[in-house]
């Protein structure tokens, strides 16, 4: 008979259950939870007694920082009582400040690909150390929302489609961040799994699926001691996440025992009294609701002042825990840029995932290492990170071309062709002629052009992409009366200003517009203002003719070289989802042409998430490098030449096409219908859906190749104390090189549970590096929590007892050893 961990009301506080939850949340590869000191509340009580209502409210919302360090948010504090201000910085892949440089780490999805919780802690330590060094108090990271759809624009900012892996990694990153004295904020609570309609979509999910999938990472973050939680933009069950009582109080506080504070995502607050009463403690980035409207609600009795006190207490309690109220916080350290760079490099190597390696195309050696063509715009441009709040400006970042050329050495011949022009070519003839390549507009002046653009037949059929480069206020450009670059809402404008294609190599801002242009004469009007400082303006275009010329140049370079390394990209930005899984622009045509000219082509992918690969079988190798941070070029070169083994494994399934993945073909699942989105896949997220529907992926969850080979043997699984299992097995490196493997354990459903269950779930894993010929006996625990399901009727986790199938393999589809093991009742 299956037994619940607890059979209590959802309103029962976790104070009675702390030990049981901590044990249940223990997962493979995780360290023991940090000890969380419980400070005395005398100081907080004294401060609350002395604070005026205005002062209390000033702590509950953001404000303008009079001495801004370029961070995302600011809470002023109360100087007369010694309550210091709080500065809040974005930081999924490093500390993002508008006025300072920081270590640009690889994207979190690349960190996750290492399957290494210990490395996640080091990653967190770098961010925590730099955040404090750069004058910050709160980090708006990590993000732990599951990768649910491959279209989601922020998949690169989070970890995985699997709840166990996500939980392990978020817990360790938080311990790393907070171990350096920076308050971590886990986000976005909850179900913020897409960018499209993120501020309005109403997410509907059944209770079992909610607890078993999306919430597991958040619970792990709470268990790890996260000081703050950020509420999401979307609605959940018809109620905005930032005023959702069930989420913010019923689950987060009553069930999990969270004692930190909850802040809103930026402008995600929609009310004063309902939000505060539901459990939102801080409105960011301003006081639209928690300023005067909340003050008025307290004065007229709509909101008791004790409810305000509750929110203030939560904030002050965390500040006290981190030594911010009594001056016991350690002195702010100096930045250690070299240490940050070393971790950035290690993560890029560890998370690099070799997807294909036909006929040992990699590593490059012999003739392949001496005659190389590097192709693709991101071969010559450092592609450090994604756009939006994850954008970090590093101290430095080399290009792959530079690092490959240096690594190849003087005896090698390395050539380069862009293959695709990201920043455009000069306009064709205009009448009258104008210096569109370098228009200098003095301060306080306006430059106006009224004339004609002449499109020739030679420019080719189809759409043109117009590009405006500018250093100041964006110029107005009208073609035949159509405004090509209209100013949109502030959030879209902000996020579109980040990312690979948003800035030209010389630093000018870039905007694009694509529209059909027929041969002939077109009216063109340009108005550019110099503003206070003056500005430089360029106007360019990309056409079918320029694209064809770029591809032809790349083909010539590919034919002249022994081997090709072709860099392909996808430029993801917060605030928008992808519209297709194919590589954008002309890249598929480029890959087809280059691989036809030279089949010894390695494609290096700098993408945010899964991409489709109709060109796959024509390539020699495919190396997934995601957004690899400031040391990504050096890591890529080392991997290509075999100085190190690619250590990454996919944390998300790559589908064959846009029609063969969990959210395909059903607008209710994605992006929503009539403003409502239904997670009808239930507990079958990611690879679980592919297994349940018997759909063959392009690459399965957990997939990744090595430059050596490994053998697995002797799988034994035995019952463990507390309702879990213990798996032991042997791994041997059977090749000639030191390499990395990630054995993964998957467990099948329980025969004793009537609840919905996936065909199999990830139950444990271990990252191993072994020299050639070396063997290691490995032990991996499988926690009782992993073997349990959430029972809505009992409002409890119920252990899945009975005989269960346990499989060991190197991905969700490459399962090499199978045993049956009995899970005993608690």
């Amino acid at each position: 008979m299956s037994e619940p961990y607890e059979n209590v009301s959802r309103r029962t506080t976790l104070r009675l259950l702390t030990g049981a939850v901590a044990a249940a949340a223990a997962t493979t590869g995780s360290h023991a939870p940090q000890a969380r000191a419980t400070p005395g509340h005398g100081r907080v009580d004294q401060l609350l007694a002395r604070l005026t209502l205005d002062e209390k409210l000033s702590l509950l919302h953001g404000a303008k920082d009079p001495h801004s360090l370029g961070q995302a948010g600011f809470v002023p504090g109360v100087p007369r009582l010694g309550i210091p201000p709080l500065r809040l910085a974005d930081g999924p892949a490093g500390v993002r400040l508008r006025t300072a440089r920081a270590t640009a780490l690889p994207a979190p999805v690349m960190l996750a690909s290492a399957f290494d919780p210990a490395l996640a802690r080091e990653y967190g330590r770098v961010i925590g150390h730099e955040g404090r060094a750069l004058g910050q108090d709160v980090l708006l990271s990590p993000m732990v929302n599951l990768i649910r759809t491959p279209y989601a624009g922020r998949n690169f900012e989070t970890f995985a489609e699997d709840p166990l892996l996500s939980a392990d990694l978020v817990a360790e990153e938080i311990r790393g961040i907070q171990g350096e004295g920076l308050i971590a904020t886990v986000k976005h609570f909850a179900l913020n799994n897409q960018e499209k309609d993120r501020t309005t979509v109403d997410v509907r999910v059944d209770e079992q699926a909610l607890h078993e999938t999306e919430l597991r990472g958040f619970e792990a973050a709470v268990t790890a001691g996260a000081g703050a939680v950020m509420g999401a933009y979307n609605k959940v069950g018809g109620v905005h996440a930032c005023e959702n009582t069930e989420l913010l109080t019923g689950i987060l506080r009553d069930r999990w025992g969270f004692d930190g504070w909850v802040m809103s995502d930026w402008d995600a607050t929609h009310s004063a009294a309902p939000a505060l009463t539901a459990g939102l403690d801080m409105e960011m980035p301003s006081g639209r609701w928690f300023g005067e409207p909340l003050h008025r609600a307290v004065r007229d009795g709509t909101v008791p002042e004790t409810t305000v006190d509750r929110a203030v207490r939560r904030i002050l309690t965390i500040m006290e825990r981190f030594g911010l109220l009594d001056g016991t916080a350690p002195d702010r350290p100096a930045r250690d840029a070299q240490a940050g760079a070393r971790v950035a490099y290690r993560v890029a190597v560890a998370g690099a995932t070799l997807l294909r390696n036909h006929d040992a195309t990699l590593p490059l050696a012999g003739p392949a290492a001496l005659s190389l063509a590097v192709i693709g715009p991101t071969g010559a441009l450092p592609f450090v990170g994604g756009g939006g709040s994850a954008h970090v400006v590093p101290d430095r970042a080399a290009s792959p071309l530079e690092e490959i050329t240096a690594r190849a050495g003087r005896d090698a011949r390395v050539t380069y062709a862009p293959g695709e022009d990201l920043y455009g070519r000069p306009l064709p003839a205009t009448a009258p002629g104008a210096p569109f390549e370098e228009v200098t507009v003095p301060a306080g002046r306006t430059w106006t052009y009224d004339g004609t653009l002449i499109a020739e037949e030679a420019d080719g059929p189809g759409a043109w992409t117009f590009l405006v480069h500018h250093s100041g206020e964006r110029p107005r450009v009208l073609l035949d009366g159509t405004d090509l670059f209209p100013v949109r809402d502030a959030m879209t404008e902000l996020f579109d200003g980040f990312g690979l294609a948003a800035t030209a190599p010389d630093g000018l801002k870039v905007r694009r517009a694509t529209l059909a242009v027929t041969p002939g004469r077109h009216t063109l009007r340009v108005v550019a203002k110099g503003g206070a400082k003056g500005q430089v303006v360029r106007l360019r275009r990309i056409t079918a003719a320029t694209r064809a010329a770029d591809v032809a140049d790349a083909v010539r370079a590919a034919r002249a070289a022994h081997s090709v390394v072709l860099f392909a990209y996808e430029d993801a930005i917060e605030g928008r989802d992808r519209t297709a899984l194919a590589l954008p622009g002309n890249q598929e045509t480029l890959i087809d042409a280059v691989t036809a000219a030279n089949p010894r082509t390695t494609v290096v992918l700098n993408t945010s998430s899964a991409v489709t690969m109709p060109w796959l079988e024509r390539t020699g190798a495919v190396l997934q490098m995601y957004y690899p941070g400031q040391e990504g070029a050096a890591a890529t070169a080392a991997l290509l030449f075999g100085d190190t083994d690619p250590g990454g494994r996919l944390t998300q399934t790559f589908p064959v096409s846009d029609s063969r993945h969990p959210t395909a073909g059903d607008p209710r699942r994605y992006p929503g219908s009539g403003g409502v989105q239904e997670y009808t896949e239930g507990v079958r997220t990611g690879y679980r859906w592919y297994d349940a529907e018997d759909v063959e992926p392009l690459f399965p969850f957990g997939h990744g190749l090595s430059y050596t080979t490994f053998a697995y043997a002797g799988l034994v699984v035995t019952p463990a104390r507390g309702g879990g299992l213990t798996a032991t097995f042997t791994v041997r490196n059977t090749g000639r090189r030191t390499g990395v493997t990630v054995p993964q354990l998957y467990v099948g459903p329980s025969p004793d549970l009537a609840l919905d269950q996936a065909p199999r779930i990830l139950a444990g894993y271990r990252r191993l590096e072994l020299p050639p010929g070396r063997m290691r006996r490995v032990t991996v625990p499988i926690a009782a929590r992993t073997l349990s399901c959430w029972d809505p009727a009992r409002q409890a986790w119920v252990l899945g007892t009975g005989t269960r199938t346990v499989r060991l393999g190197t991905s969700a589809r490459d399962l090499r050893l199978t045993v049956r093991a009995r899970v005993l009742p608690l």
Side-chain angles (χ1 to χ4, degrees), residues 93 104-107 110 344 348 382-385 394 396-398 625-633:
L105 294 160
M110 193 169 199
F383 196 168
V384 173
R396 61 177 183 83
M625 290 298 295
Y626 296 105
Y627 299 156
Q630 68 179 51
E631 304 302 317

Side-chain angles (χ1 to χ4, degrees), residues 143 146-157 191-199 201 387 492 495-496 570-582 584 608-610 627 658 661 663 667 669-672 677 679:
M143 176 178 172
L146 289 186
I147 296 176
R148 176 178 178 264
T149 175
Y151 301 114
R154 299 180 80 174
N155 281 348
F156 69 96
E157 286 190 57
L191 299 166
N192 185 177
N193 305 116
Q194 67 187 55
E195 293 300 279
K196 184 172 177 57
D197 301 327
R198 66 176 180 172
T199 62
V201 69
T492 301
F495 291 143
D496 276 359
E570 175 258 321
D571 195 11
I573 295 175
E574 178 183 351
R576 70 174 185 229
D577 283 348
R578 302 158 69 191
T579 57
L581 300 184
S608 68
S609 188
Y627 299 156
D658 285 272
H661 59 79
T663 58
R669 288 191 183 181
Y670 177 84
Q677 184 179 45
Y679 284 27

Side-chain angles (χ1 to χ4, degrees), residues 326-346:
D326 59 5
T328 60
D331 292 339
R332 293 193 182 273
R335 270 195 72 209
D336 190 341
Q338 291 185 342
R342 287 193 296 271
V343 172
Y345 176 84
R346 286 182 54 207

